[in-house]
Structures are given as structure tokens and as C-alpha cells.
Amino acid sequence: MRSIHRFCISSSMLAATAVIAAAPAQADEQVRQFDVPGQPAKDAIVIFAHQAGIQILAPGTATQGRRIAPLKGRYTVADGLRRLAASSHMRLVSFDGRTAVLADAGMPDARMSGQQPRLRPEPRPMTTPAAAQTIDPAPAPTAAEAPAPVEASPADVIVVTGSTSGRRTQFNSSSNVTLANAAELQRKAPRSTAETLELVPGIFVEATAGPASNNYSVRGLRGGGQTFITLEQDGLPILYGGGGADFYFQQDLSVDRMEAVEGGTSGVLAPNGAGATINFISRKLNFDKLGGAVRATGTTYSDFRADAYLSGPISDGLAYSLSGYYWSQRGQRHSPFRYNSYQVKGQIEKRFDDDGFVRLTLQRRDEHDPYYADMPFAVDASGKIGSVPGTDLRYDNVLGQAFRSIAVPDASATGNRLRTFSGEDGIHTTSWTYRIDMEKPVADGVKLFARARYLDGKYDFNGIFPGSGSGTAGLASAVNYLTPGTSPIASTLAAGAAAFPGTTQFGIRDTLTGNVIAASDTGTLNALNGNGLLQQTVLNHQTLATKDFGSNFGVTWDARGDAIQNSLTVGGMYYDVRQRNDQSAVATLINDVRDNSHIYDVVALDQGGQVLGQLTNNGMLSYGNWGQGIYNSHVESLSGYFNDELTVNDKLHIDFGARYEHQHISANIGNTAMVNEAVPAGTPGLARDVGSTFDGTYTHVAASFGDWAYTAGINYELTSNVSLYLRGAKGFQTNGADTGGAHGPTDLTLYEGGVRLRTSILSASIVGFRTLFKNQSYQFIDPADPANAVNALADNTTNGVQLDAELRPTRFFSITATGVYQVPRLVNLRFDGAAQPQYEGNTPERTPKKLLTVTPSFTLPHGLGEIYGRWKYVGKIFADAGNGVALPSYSVFTIGINLNLTDQLNLAVSIDNLTNAKGFTEGNPRQGQTQTIVNGYFYGRAIAGRNALASLTYRF
């Protein structure tokens, strides 16, 4: 365990109180347009809070069985509140400009009843720690101003994602909705963006690659990618294609909450989100008073981060916000390098008297992240997986000083005869994002909207892939490596003997120290790092420049009657994406098996042990024999869509919608020369050419595709506590272009139904689902020909059930449980069009059947904060489609505490993987579709060991 005494104080995640509506308030004297139809008080309060942009607390006893009269017209928020309350025999107890408290008109308040006010209000169920509440310079109402209210169930929170009416809640939605307010994000204390997605039942996350480039999959889909899931910021995809979004997004203090919709409307209202849409929603700007927060973060693995957020008014109806962070990290695994990053985001928003607005956003990112790939593991006779002797699978990292900077020969047509692999840079991502959002009411119940953003970004990926291509065949003893005839590099040794006359034996030379170990020194070779092993590792250097324009625009028409409410949205989406990919100058080298691995040159030795020559170049055996190569692509996408949300008699909710997308794809694929180009003069080693050689010309391919996404759902509120829903949906994932050509879309069909329960102590949702994936497209490296990627198509079927529940038996304790049990099945797998019947019926690779997370939370007295724990269980997965390597189930325990040191200062501490458990998320996907354990070893990727994060937040 890394010492917890090395903590640096840091800030907590921003949070919003668990209330009916979570949006910053405008000044109570501001005039707004309200249109709240007559309906049950509990639903009217939700709509009013959403239209007013405030928070409302009301006990269930005050709203039960009561209706409000229609409220329509222009009022100040305070006047509207009084009218709303009076029409339902409630009263406005307090309103501080952002939080209103309503109570039964017949109930006395604390002042009238003679109760003594508390200096600090007692917390209610699901109360967010003070430092995690919505940033607000005004003090919260004291107990002397209002009786302690009973907060609304999270099921009553308005859902923005996957809905167009602004009236759907988690309780009455006919989609599978997950909400995570900032309190839940704070408890999660994610170490990466991908880890946040674990809050969504049915999503499996492989968060073992580091802060970026992690994999996640939904509802039984084959793991190892990011397909069918789109990550959004404020309702627009971060990237059109979905995959790679975590290169361009990290949470900061501007994030207010996360919403997720699985299936249903997700594939209609977002491109490439047929499986799920994950929407990170920003904090609303402060139009009344200046407010902000600063946060400092530190970890036991030497990460340091500083965050800040500031928002306030410029003039009447005009506000701004500034946010950002500076992050210096080594990562959860040992590293000699420090990766420094920053992000700055600015917004300015103008609100108009008719409730229209225009908001401009500018974001700049410059991020360096570590990347962790596979490493070898040992398997004993009983099948138990453990560390190779001399290594620690929980903390070790193959990448070390030897990989700091390596010049790799490349084709001259690329413009780089030598292309530098930079381990010290890791994944370097830079981007500018420009965005505009606007809404304009044009008539009674009619609103125009438009959102557009342009991302100009690039990532420079420098990652190592031990065991790629060669697999376990390249993992052998150092003695064997230097033994002609039986060596994994036997042909290289034979060529070395011919190239250097007088060779009597071979040796290895450490590129860092220069030390040479001869083949005859078997004792030293066998003792190397406690395991005596050498391996082959691929240097993967890829740059991908992206210019991604996206927009969503349309009109919403709300119509209401005494018994019927309907909201129809008709809109369009246009995306234009250009990418330039360069994955040339990859190489395979020899290194040892240890933390911060050393690279070795193979050298020829004479009878006296003197070096006659080297067979490798900085350990590199060959060049250009792995990966995608070079291509440029252009995707244009135009969609038209509609979504209708109908409510009948406040009980029956019917949704239906459709989207048609037309996509034109073109690509210029770099051609390969008939004869490989020679390496630059003076290049050491026996490899005399750069391998697969780009000749400077391209083959142009183009194709057009069209596809439909459509859905229909129904929700019926049996009682005020129980609702039922059914949903069917068909969506698709576009697949763009690469060196394999232009690819058509992959279809997904989803059926689901569930029951939702909300009471004063329990909120729960149980959902059954059936998912059909058709022609899922992916590529993998063929071990027999690593220079070529094989195109695979497969169908998957999954039946499952998922749970999302929260129990609050007392005001001081709550427990949540989320999980899924699913049975995925692989069918009709094809490699480059050829059927592969041997895989029929197998479990798709990297897809668990069981996932479960249980989180108990104890609220401390006097508003001091909370103590929480978490148990995460991940069931057995198979590392390969052939189901040859099974990775065992595992459990991870987490504990944490959030302490309100003062009303403005919060301390949060999270200790993850408390028991230092071993867990494995994948095998070696670059070894092919059927993997095996050879000589007691295989390659895989493991979760990080015990670690801790501390944060300190000051809000003002």
C-alpha cells in the first residue's frame, strides 16, 4: 500500500442538493414567464421549479392529494410561488432567491410553535454535504425560518437527457433513466471519466488504462470498445462517433450532475447513442450574485490537482462563468514521469425577458495522461492468477525510463524519416472547443432552439503493448532468447551470426546502463529481475487530428388541455467530421519483465566476450509491422427527427419518436509500396527496412449510408408510489472509415420493461431487457500477420435484468444498490466475411454476466457530513471470443468520508480497493480471438491496488 500519509488536501466534487429541481436561482424579483397547467401539486411543483430555475422543498404531507390551479402569465418568482402555494392550500415558508420551502398552510412554523431554532439545521435524507451544495453566496434558510422539510425523492427530479418536454421525471419516464447528482459523484470519487459510468446499471467499465482511453460497453455488448454509447456535455456529443470522447473530457467544478438514458430515446435524440447517452450537465450561471469554489486534490500516488469555478453577473440578464484545473499526475501505477495538464472553460450568457437566451462557451485543453496496457501474469497449477515473480500486478508499470524517447525509422513519404516515440508524453491531447446555445420562444407554447459546437483537437498517443502480436510466444527466458535454434528470435540470431563473423555467442545489453550479459552467464540471466524473463513489446505511436462540427436545432410545441398535455419536438442534426490518422513507425522491441522495464539490445559476442555488433536498434527487432497505418477520412451526417411526449390524465405517459440519418463517408487510405523502404543510413541493427511502407499515394473510397432509429414507450402511474413502463427501440452505430474502407452502420434493437417504486423510504427500479446487436463491427490484430488488421462482424443477443434502488430507513442512513444480471450470447461471427462457427453461442469477450454495487451512507449529526462505503462486484469474464481464458470474478471495497469543517469548507477522503484485491478486466486483445495460457503465463490488464484521494473545497 502506498502511504496514506502522502495525502495532499483536495476538493470534493461539486454537488447539488437532492431536491425536486436542481438549478441555480435567479433573483426573486426577476419577472419570468410561467405556464403550469392544473394538476396534482407534486407534479406542478416540479414543473414550476424547472421553469423558475430554483429549488423547492416540500413535505409529502403538504402535497398529498392536492391539486393546483393553472398558473399562466408573467410573474416574479416569489409572486408565482405564492400563487402556486395558495391555490393548493400551502404556504411559502421561506425563499432566499434560490431555494424555496413550502409547507401545509395549516401547520405552524417554528416561530409560532415556540420551538427553539437549531444553530445548524439537522440534515434530511439524501442531504448533500454543505461544501457540495450548489454554489451560492447567500446563506441557506435556518431552522428558525422553516420547519425541516421532507425532501423529494430523486425519482421526482426533472430529466433533461433523453427527453424534450422538460416534464419527464425518473418516475414517469418510459426510458431507463439514471441520475447522479453531485453528492453521488462525490461519493464515487472517480479516478477517471470512465469510472463515473459505473454509476449506470448495465454499463461495464474497464477503467484500467489510466485517466483516458478506457473501454466501456452496455447491456451485454462485447467489451473492449466505446460503441453504442455517446458522452455528451449539455446535450451535445463530445465527439460525433462516440469513441474517444474521454480524450477530450474530464470532470471539473463546472459539472453539476450526470444523467444517463439507456436505449429508448437515446438513439433518436443523439447520434451513436443507441445503447446509452451519458450527459454531463453544467452548472447554471449565477445571474444575481458572485459565487464560486476552489478545490485542491491530492492522492497517495502523487497526483496533485487544483480546480476553480467562478460565476456572477455582468449586468442585468448577463452573466459569466470561468472554470478550469491544473493537474500534475504520475498515475495510479509507478512511473518515472510526471504528466502535466490544464483546462480552461469560459461561458457568457444573455437571458431575455421572454425567457430566451444565448450562451457562448469556449474551452481549451492541454492534457498529458499516462497509459497502461497489458502485462504478463502467472497462473499456478490450481488456475489462480498472480504476479510474475519480481513484479506486483497491482502497482507496477512496464513503461519506464528506457521508453522516454525512442527514434523509430519511418517512410520518407510521411515527412519523418525518424518518428519519435515519447513515453514521457504519454497521451498528449490538445483541443479548442467553441460552442453556442440558444432558445427563443416565438409564440404561446412554441420555442425554437439551436445548439452547435466545433472541436478542433488532436491526440498524440504514445503507449506500449507488451505481448502484442507475438503474445506469450514472445515471453521466454533470457537464456532461451540467446539460444540459437530454439529462441523466439531464432531467425534474427541466425542473421546475426552471418552478419558478424567470429560470433561465438550472443548477449543482451541494457540500453540504460550499458551492462552486457552473455549467453554463457546463465546464472545472471536466470536471476534477471527474479524471473529471468524477456518479452516483446510493441511501441504504438498514433496521432489522430479531429475537426468535429456538430449541431442540433429545431422547434418544440407544447399544447395543454384539462386532461391532456403534449410536447412535440421536430428537429435536425448536422455533423461534419474530418480526421487524419498516422499510426506509422510502430515497432517491436525486446524488454525485461519488471516494474519500469529495461530495454535490451541483442549483441553478438566474440570468444573473449567483446561486442562485435548489435542485432537490434534500441531493442527494436522490426518496424512498421503493426496497426492501422495512414488514412484521412471525412464524414458528413444529416439527420431529421421528431419526438412526441404525451400525458393523459396525469397518469398515462406515452412517448414516441424517430430519426433518419443520411451519412456520406469518404476516405483516402495510404497505399503501401511494393518494396519496403530502407532504413536511414547509419541505423544500427539487422532490420534494414522500415516495414510496411507508405508510398505517398492514397486510394480513395466513398460510400453513403442511411438508417432509421425509432422508439415508442409507455409509462403508467398505477398509484402515486408505483409506475410501470414498457419500451421498444431500434437504433444504430455508425462506423466511419479506416484502412479497412468505409463501413456501414451496425443495428441495435432493444426491448425493455420495468416497475418503479417511490415511497418516503424507498426509491427503486427493476428493469428487464432484451438486446439484439446486429453486425457489430470491430478490428483486431491477426497474430499470424500483425501488419494487417482483421475486420470482424458479429451478432450478439442479451437477456437481462437490472436494479437501481435506494433505501432510506432513517434520516441518518441510506443504502443504494445498482446491478445487472445478463446472459449475452455471440452468434454469426465473421472474419473478413468468412464464417467462424466455432465461436457460436460463446459469451462475448470482456463481458461479465453479473455486476453489483452496494453503497451504504451514514449522515453525521448537526450537518457535519457523511461516512460511506461501497462494495463493487464484477463477475467472471472471458478474455477472448473463443472463451479460452476465463478471468475470475472480484470485489472491490471503498470507504470515504465527507466532513463539513465549516459552512464553506469541506474535506473529502476516499480510499479505494481497501483490501488490495486483485481484479482483471481483460486479457490480451491483440493476441487474436482465441487466447491460451502458455507455460503458466498469459497477458492481461489488472485493476490498481489500494489507493486514496483527499480533497478540500472552499466555496464562497
Coordinates of all heavy atoms in Angstrom, one line a residue, residues 425-484:
D425 N 5.7 11.6 -22.7 CA 4.5 12.4 -23.1 C 3.2 11.6 -22.9 O 2.1 12.3 -22.7 CB 4.6 12.8 -24.6 CG 5.4 14.1 -24.8 OD1 5.7 14.8 -23.8 OD2 5.9 14.3 -25.9
G426 N 3.3 10.3 -22.9 CA 2.0 9.5 -22.8 C 1.0 9.9 -23.8 O 1.3 10.0 -25.0
I427 N -0.2 10.1 -23.4 CA -1.3 10.5 -24.3 C -1.3 12.0 -24.2 O -1.7 12.6 -23.2 CB -2.6 9.9 -24.0 CG1 -2.6 8.4 -23.9 CG2 -3.7 10.3 -25.0 CD1 -3.8 7.7 -23.4
H428 N -1.0 12.7 -25.3 CA -1.0 14.2 -25.2 C -2.1 14.7 -26.1 O -2.2 14.5 -27.3 CB 0.3 14.7 -25.7 CG 0.4 16.2 -25.7 ND1 1.3 17.0 -26.4 CD2 -0.3 17.1 -24.9 CE1 1.1 18.3 -26.2 NE2 0.2 18.4 -25.3
T429 N -3.1 15.3 -25.5 CA -4.3 15.7 -26.2 C -4.4 17.2 -26.0 O -4.3 17.8 -24.9 CB -5.6 15.1 -25.5 OG1 -5.5 13.7 -25.5 CG2 -6.8 15.5 -26.3
T430 N -4.6 17.9 -27.2 CA -4.9 19.3 -27.2 C -6.2 19.6 -27.9 O -6.5 18.9 -28.9 CB -3.7 20.1 -27.9 OG1 -3.6 19.6 -29.2 CG2 -2.4 19.9 -27.1
S431 N -6.9 20.6 -27.5 CA -8.2 20.9 -28.2 C -8.6 22.3 -27.9 O -8.4 22.8 -26.8 CB -9.3 19.9 -27.9 OG -9.6 20.0 -26.5
W432 N -9.3 22.9 -28.8 CA -10.2 24.1 -28.6 C -11.6 23.7 -29.0 O -11.8 23.0 -30.0 CB -9.7 25.2 -29.6 CG -8.5 25.9 -29.2 CD1 -7.2 25.6 -29.7 CD2 -8.3 27.0 -28.3 NE1 -6.3 26.4 -29.1 CE2 -6.9 27.3 -28.3 CE3 -9.2 27.7 -27.5 CZ2 -6.4 28.4 -27.5 CZ3 -8.7 28.8 -26.8 CH2 -7.3 29.1 -26.8
T433 N -12.5 24.1 -28.1 CA -13.9 23.8 -28.4 C -14.7 25.1 -28.3 O -14.6 25.9 -27.3 CB -14.6 22.8 -27.4 OG1 -13.8 21.6 -27.4 CG2 -16.0 22.5 -27.7
Y434 N -15.5 25.4 -29.4 CA -16.3 26.6 -29.5 C -17.7 26.2 -29.5 O -18.1 25.3 -30.3 CB -15.9 27.4 -30.7 CG -14.4 27.6 -30.9 CD1 -13.7 26.7 -31.6 CD2 -13.8 28.8 -30.4 CE1 -12.3 26.9 -31.8 CE2 -12.4 29.0 -30.6 CZ -11.7 28.0 -31.3 OH -10.3 28.2 -31.5
R435 N -18.6 26.9 -28.8 CA -20.0 26.4 -28.7 C -20.9 27.6 -28.5 O -20.6 28.6 -27.9 CB -20.1 25.4 -27.5 CG -21.6 25.0 -27.3 CD -21.7 23.8 -26.4 NE -23.0 23.5 -26.1 CZ -23.5 22.3 -25.6 NH1 -22.6 21.4 -25.4 NH2 -24.8 22.1 -25.4
I436 N -22.1 27.4 -29.1 CA -23.2 28.4 -28.9 C -24.5 27.6 -28.7 O -24.8 26.6 -29.3 CB -23.4 29.3 -30.1 CG1 -24.5 30.4 -29.9 CG2 -23.6 28.5 -31.4 CD1 -24.5 31.5 -30.9
D437 N -25.3 28.1 -27.7 CA -26.6 27.5 -27.4 C -27.6 28.7 -27.3 O -27.3 29.8 -26.8 CB -26.6 26.9 -26.0 CG -25.7 25.6 -25.9 OD1 -24.5 25.8 -25.9 OD2 -26.2 24.5 -25.9
M438 N -28.8 28.4 -27.9 CA -29.8 29.5 -27.8 C -31.2 28.9 -27.8 O -31.4 27.8 -28.3 CB -29.6 30.4 -29.0 CG -29.8 29.8 -30.4 SD -29.6 31.0 -31.7 CE -27.8 31.4 -31.5
E439 N -32.1 29.6 -27.2 CA -33.5 29.3 -27.2 C -34.3 30.6 -27.4 O -33.9 31.6 -26.9 CB -34.0 28.6 -25.9 CG -33.4 27.2 -25.7 CD -34.0 26.5 -24.5 OE1 -34.9 27.1 -23.8 OE2 -33.6 25.4 -24.2
K440 N -35.4 30.5 -28.1 CA -36.2 31.6 -28.4 C -37.7 31.3 -28.4 O -38.1 30.6 -29.4 CB -35.8 32.2 -29.7 CG -36.7 33.4 -30.2 CD -36.7 34.6 -29.3 CE -37.5 35.7 -29.9 NZ -37.5 36.9 -28.9
P441 N -38.5 31.7 -27.4 CA -39.9 31.5 -27.5 C -40.5 32.4 -28.6 O -40.1 33.6 -28.7 CB -40.4 31.9 -26.1 CG -39.2 31.8 -25.2 CD -38.1 32.2 -26.1
V442 N -41.3 31.8 -29.5 CA -41.8 32.6 -30.6 C -43.4 32.8 -30.5 O -43.9 33.6 -31.2 CB -41.4 32.0 -31.9 CG1 -39.9 32.1 -32.1 CG2 -41.9 30.5 -32.0
A443 N -44.0 31.9 -29.7 CA -45.5 32.0 -29.6 C -45.8 31.3 -28.3 O -45.0 30.6 -27.7 CB -46.2 31.4 -30.8
D444 N -47.1 31.3 -27.9 CA -47.5 30.6 -26.8 C -47.3 29.1 -26.9 O -47.8 28.5 -27.8 CB -49.0 30.9 -26.5 CG -49.5 30.3 -25.2 OD1 -48.6 30.1 -24.3 OD2 -50.7 30.1 -25.1
G445 N -46.4 28.6 -26.1 CA -46.1 27.2 -26.1 C -45.1 26.7 -27.2 O -44.9 25.5 -27.4
V446 N -44.6 27.7 -28.0 CA -43.7 27.3 -29.1 C -42.3 27.9 -28.9 O -42.2 29.1 -28.6 CB -44.3 27.8 -30.5 CG1 -43.3 27.4 -31.6 CG2 -45.6 27.2 -30.7
K447 N -41.3 27.1 -29.0 CA -39.9 27.5 -28.7 C -39.0 27.0 -29.7 O -39.0 25.8 -30.1 CB -39.5 27.0 -27.3 CG -38.1 27.3 -26.9 CD -37.8 26.7 -25.5 CE -37.8 25.2 -25.5 NZ -37.4 24.6 -24.2
L448 N -38.1 27.9 -30.3 CA -37.0 27.5 -31.1 C -35.8 27.2 -30.3 O -35.5 27.9 -29.3 CB -36.8 28.5 -32.2 CG -37.9 28.9 -33.1 CD1 -37.5 30.1 -34.0 CD2 -38.4 27.7 -33.9
F449 N -35.0 26.3 -30.7 CA -33.7 26.0 -30.0 C -32.6 25.7 -31.1 O -32.9 25.2 -32.2 CB -33.9 24.9 -29.0 CG -34.2 23.5 -29.6 CD1 -33.2 22.7 -30.0 CD2 -35.5 23.1 -29.8 CE1 -33.4 21.4 -30.6 CE2 -35.8 21.9 -30.3 CZ -34.7 21.1 -30.7
A450 N -31.4 25.9 -30.7 CA -30.3 25.5 -31.5 C -29.0 25.4 -30.6 O -28.8 26.2 -29.7 CB -30.0 26.6 -32.6
R451 N -28.3 24.4 -30.9 CA -27.0 24.2 -30.2 C -26.0 23.8 -31.3 O -26.3 22.9 -32.1 CB -27.1 23.0 -29.2 CG -28.1 23.3 -28.1 CD -28.0 22.3 -27.0 NE -28.6 21.0 -27.4 CZ -29.9 20.6 -27.3 NH1 -30.7 21.5 -26.8 NH2 -30.3 19.5 -27.8
A452 N -24.8 24.3 -31.2 CA -23.7 23.9 -32.1 C -22.4 24.0 -31.4 O -22.2 24.9 -30.6 CB -23.8 24.8 -33.4
R453 N -21.5 23.2 -31.8 CA -20.1 23.2 -31.3 C -19.1 22.8 -32.3 O -19.5 22.0 -33.2 CB -20.0 22.4 -30.0 CG -20.3 20.9 -30.1 CD -19.0 20.1 -30.1 NE -19.3 18.7 -30.3 CZ -19.1 18.1 -31.5 NH1 -18.7 18.8 -32.5 NH2 -19.4 16.8 -31.6
Y454 N -17.9 23.3 -32.2 CA -16.9 22.9 -33.1 C -15.6 22.5 -32.3 O -15.2 23.4 -31.5 CB -16.5 24.0 -34.1 CG -15.3 23.8 -34.9 CD1 -15.4 22.8 -36.0 CD2 -14.1 24.4 -34.7 CE1 -14.3 22.6 -36.8 CE2 -13.0 24.2 -35.6 CZ -13.1 23.2 -36.6 OH -12.0 23.0 -37.4
L455 N -15.2 21.3 -32.4 CA -14.0 20.9 -31.7 C -12.8 20.7 -32.7 O -12.9 20.0 -33.7 CB -14.3 19.5 -31.0 CG -13.1 18.9 -30.2 CD1 -13.7 18.2 -28.9 CD2 -12.3 17.9 -31.0
D456 N -11.7 21.4 -32.4 CA -10.5 21.2 -33.1 C -9.5 20.6 -32.2 O -9.0 21.3 -31.3 CB -10.1 22.6 -33.6 CG -8.9 22.6 -34.6 OD1 -8.3 21.5 -34.7 OD2 -8.5 23.6 -35.1
G457 N -9.2 19.3 -32.4 CA -8.4 18.6 -31.4 C -7.4 17.7 -32.1 O -7.5 17.3 -33.3
K458 N -6.5 17.2 -31.3 CA -5.6 16.2 -31.7 C -5.0 15.5 -30.5 O -4.8 16.0 -29.4 CB -4.4 16.9 -32.4 CG -3.3 15.9 -32.9 CD -2.1 16.7 -33.5 CE -1.0 15.7 -34.0 NZ 0.1 16.5 -34.6
Y459 N -4.9 14.2 -30.7 CA -4.2 13.4 -29.6 C -3.0 12.7 -30.2 O -3.0 12.3 -31.4 CB -5.1 12.5 -28.9 CG -5.6 11.2 -29.6 CD1 -4.7 10.2 -29.9 CD2 -6.9 11.1 -29.8 CE1 -5.2 9.0 -30.5 CE2 -7.4 9.9 -30.4 CZ -6.5 8.9 -30.8 OH -7.0 7.8 -31.4
D460 N -1.9 12.7 -29.5 CA -0.6 12.1 -29.8 C -0.5 10.9 -28.8 O -0.1 11.2 -27.7 CB 0.5 13.1 -29.7 CG 1.8 12.5 -30.3 OD1 1.9 11.3 -30.4 OD2 2.7 13.3 -30.5
F461 N -0.8 9.7 -29.2 CA -0.8 8.6 -28.4 C 0.5 7.9 -28.4 O 1.0 7.4 -29.4 CB -1.9 7.6 -28.8 CG -2.1 6.4 -27.9 CD1 -3.2 6.4 -27.0 CD2 -1.3 5.3 -28.1 CE1 -3.4 5.3 -26.2 CE2 -1.5 4.2 -27.3 CZ -2.6 4.2 -26.3
N462 N 1.2 7.8 -27.2 CA 2.4 7.0 -27.1 C 2.2 6.0 -26.0 O 2.3 6.3 -24.8 CB 3.6 8.0 -26.6 CG 3.9 9.1 -27.7 OD1 4.7 8.9 -28.5 ND2 3.2 10.2 -27.6
G463 N 1.9 4.8 -26.4 CA 1.6 3.7 -25.5 C 2.3 2.4 -25.9 O 2.6 2.2 -27.1
I464 N 2.6 1.6 -24.9 CA 3.3 0.3 -25.2 C 2.3 -0.8 -25.0 O 1.4 -0.7 -24.2 CB 4.5 0.1 -24.3 CG1 4.1 0.1 -22.8 CG2 5.5 1.2 -24.5 CD1 5.3 -0.3 -21.9
F465 N 2.5 -1.8 -25.8 CA 1.6 -3.0 -25.8 C 2.4 -4.3 -25.7 O 2.8 -4.9 -26.7 CB 0.7 -3.1 -27.0 CG -0.3 -2.0 -27.1 CD1 0.0 -0.7 -27.6 CD2 -1.6 -2.2 -26.7 CE1 -0.9 0.3 -27.7 CE2 -2.5 -1.2 -26.7 CZ -2.2 0.1 -27.2
P466 N 2.8 -4.6 -24.4 CA 3.6 -5.9 -24.3 C 2.8 -7.1 -24.7 O 1.6 -7.2 -24.5 CB 3.8 -5.9 -22.8 CG 3.7 -4.5 -22.3 CD 2.6 -3.9 -23.2
G467 N 3.4 -8.0 -25.4 CA 2.8 -9.2 -25.8 C 1.9 -9.1 -27.1 O 1.3 -10.1 -27.5
S468 N 1.9 -7.9 -27.7 CA 1.0 -7.8 -28.9 C 1.6 -8.5 -30.1 O 2.9 -8.4 -30.3 CB 0.8 -6.3 -29.2 OG 0.0 -5.7 -28.2
G469 N 0.8 -9.1 -30.8 CA 1.3 -9.9 -32.0 C 1.9 -11.2 -31.6 O 1.4 -12.2 -31.9
S470 N 3.1 -11.1 -30.9 CA 3.8 -12.3 -30.5 C 3.1 -13.0 -29.4 O 3.2 -14.3 -29.3 CB 5.2 -11.9 -30.1 OG 5.1 -11.1 -28.9
G471 N 2.3 -12.3 -28.6 CA 1.6 -13.0 -27.4 C 2.6 -13.7 -26.5 O 3.7 -13.2 -26.3
T472 N 2.2 -14.8 -25.9 CA 3.0 -15.5 -25.0 C 4.2 -16.2 -25.7 O 5.2 -16.6 -25.0 CB 2.2 -16.5 -24.2 OG1 1.4 -17.3 -25.1 CG2 1.3 -15.8 -23.2
A473 N 4.2 -16.3 -27.0 CA 5.3 -16.9 -27.8 C 6.5 -16.0 -27.6 O 7.7 -16.5 -27.7 CB 4.9 -17.0 -29.2
G474 N 6.3 -14.7 -27.4 CA 7.4 -13.8 -27.2 C 7.9 -13.7 -25.8 O 8.8 -12.9 -25.4
L475 N 7.2 -14.4 -24.8 CA 7.6 -14.4 -23.4 C 8.4 -15.6 -23.1 O 7.8 -16.7 -23.1 CB 6.3 -14.3 -22.6 CG 6.5 -14.2 -21.1 CD1 7.2 -12.9 -20.6 CD2 5.2 -14.4 -20.3
A476 N 9.7 -15.5 -22.9 CA 10.5 -16.6 -22.7 C 11.7 -16.3 -21.8 O 11.9 -15.1 -21.6 CB 11.0 -17.2 -24.1
S477 N 12.4 -17.3 -21.4 CA 13.6 -17.0 -20.5 C 14.6 -16.3 -21.4 O 14.8 -16.5 -22.6 CB 14.1 -18.3 -20.0 OG 14.7 -19.1 -21.0
A478 N 15.4 -15.5 -20.7 CA 16.5 -14.8 -21.3 C 17.5 -15.8 -21.9 O 18.1 -15.6 -23.0 CB 17.2 -13.9 -20.3
V479 N 17.7 -16.9 -21.2 CA 18.6 -18.0 -21.7 C 18.1 -18.5 -23.1 O 18.8 -18.6 -24.0 CB 18.7 -19.1 -20.7 CG1 19.4 -20.3 -21.3 CG2 19.4 -18.6 -19.4
N480 N 16.8 -18.7 -23.1 CA 16.2 -19.2 -24.4 C 16.3 -18.2 -25.5 O 16.5 -18.6 -26.6 CB 14.7 -19.6 -24.1 CG 14.2 -20.5 -25.2 OD1 14.9 -21.2 -25.9 ND2 12.9 -20.4 -25.4
Y481 N 16.1 -16.9 -25.1 CA 16.2 -15.9 -26.2 C 17.6 -15.9 -26.8 O 17.7 -15.6 -28.0 CB 16.0 -14.5 -25.5 CG 14.6 -13.9 -25.9 CD1 13.5 -14.2 -25.0 CD2 14.4 -13.2 -27.0 CE1 12.3 -13.7 -25.3 CE2 13.2 -12.6 -27.3 CZ 12.1 -12.9 -26.5 OH 10.9 -12.4 -26.8
L482 N 18.6 -16.3 -26.1 CA 20.0 -16.2 -26.7 C 20.5 -17.6 -27.1 O 21.7 -17.8 -27.5 CB 21.0 -15.7 -25.6 CG 20.7 -14.3 -25.1 CD1 21.6 -13.9 -24.0 CD2 20.7 -13.3 -26.2
T483 N 19.6 -18.6 -27.2 CA 19.9 -19.9 -27.7 C 19.5 -20.1 -29.1 O 18.3 -20.2 -29.4 CB 19.2 -21.0 -26.8 OG1 19.6 -20.8 -25.4 CG2 19.6 -22.4 -27.3
P484 N 20.5 -20.2 -30.1 CA 20.1 -20.4 -31.5 C 19.3 -21.6 -31.7 O 19.4 -22.6 -31.0 CB 21.5 -20.5 -32.2 CG 22.4 -19.8 -31.3 CD 21.9 -20.1 -29.9

